[in-house]
Amino acid sequence: MLPDPTSFLDQIFKSCTSAGLPLADYPLDHICYRVATTDRYQQLKTQLLSSNELLAETLINGRPIATFRLKTPLRYQDRQIELLELPSPKPGSPYAEGYEHVEFVVGQHPKAWMKQYPSINWEVKDLRKSINPDVRLRIGEGVSVKFHEFPLDYVIEYLDE
């Protein structure tokens, strides 16, 4: 159903290692898979629902984003990726289908955490988010890695309370 994420994750890990980010120290929280159309979003969401757990489908900036706990986690080296984020495309912002980003849990506010890596050109616009702010490192065209304090499934559970 989903393509093998190995080459995508190889790119992420290689770029972060080159930048001096020790990814081995942090849990890989989730992976994001983008689709090009709302029809494809509905199709893939339906396929994922057949054998995975939908944790939430939330409207964010006017579009649905579904988060799944995968029955069979994606594997990368010694890691298992249990959560998949599936965003519907933003109107007027076309995306090619494929993996777009991964997020790591750093266990502290990212504003404090990123100070350990002052030579990195962080994108900080999402530090303003009221829930689980993050910092981003762009790896290439349409590919990035984000760092935040809490796991996504914890945040979803917290919001449901």
Side-chain angles (χ1 to χ4, degrees):
M1 181 177 330
L2 293 170
D4 182 351
T6 300
S7 62
F8 170 77
L9 291 167
D10 283 345
Q11 178 186 10
I12 295 282
F13 276 76
K14 181 180 177 186
S15 295
C16 287
T17 298
S18 295
L21 283 170
L23 295 182
D25 295 346
Y26 306 107
L28 198 166
D29 185 45
H30 67 274
I31 192 165
C32 176
Y33 190 81
R34 295 248 187 214
V35 292
T37 67
T38 54
D39 286 343
R40 177 65 177 139
Y41 171 81
Q42 290 298 333
Q43 176 191 39
L44 188 52
K45 184 179 90 168
T46 300
Q47 289 174 337
L48 288 163
L49 282 168
S50 69
S51 59
N52 300 283
E53 178 187 2
L54 178 65
L55 297 180
E57 185 175 32
T58 309
L59 278 181
I60 299 176
N61 296 325
R63 68 187 169 130
I65 297 179
T67 303
F68 291 90
R69 183 177 310 282
L70 301 174
K71 182 178 179 183
T72 304
L74 298 171
R75 294 195 167 281
Y76 179 72
Q77 297 177 357
D78 61 344
R79 296 176 185 259
Q80 289 192 115
I81 306 166
E82 295 182 3
L83 300 182
L84 174 78
E85 189 176 66
L86 178 67
S88 182
K90 292 177 185 174
S93 297
Y95 291 103
E97 183 163 331
Y99 294 104
E100 192 265 347
H101 73 264
V102 294
E103 298 193 26
F104 289 85
V105 176
V106 297
Q108 62 180 300
H109 195 285
K111 188 173 186 175
W113 175 81
M114 69 185 221
K115 289 179 182 177
Q116 298 173 63
Y117 309 101
S119 64
I120 294 177
N121 185 21
W122 296 109
E123 185 177 296
V124 297
K125 71 179 180 88
D126 287 338
L127 283 175
R128 297 179 295 221
K129 292 183 349 187
S130 61
I131 298 171
N132 214 24
D134 61 69
V135 292
R136 177 191 306 248
L137 175 61
R138 295 225 180 248
I139 302 297
E141 184 64 35
V143 176
S144 63
V145 58
K146 298 180 184 183
F147 300 89
H148 53 83
E149 186 171 3
F150 300 109
L152 181 57
D153 54 353
Y154 170 82
V155 173
I156 289 168
E157 185 178 317
Y158 170 80
L159 292 174
D160 282 345
E161 292 179 350

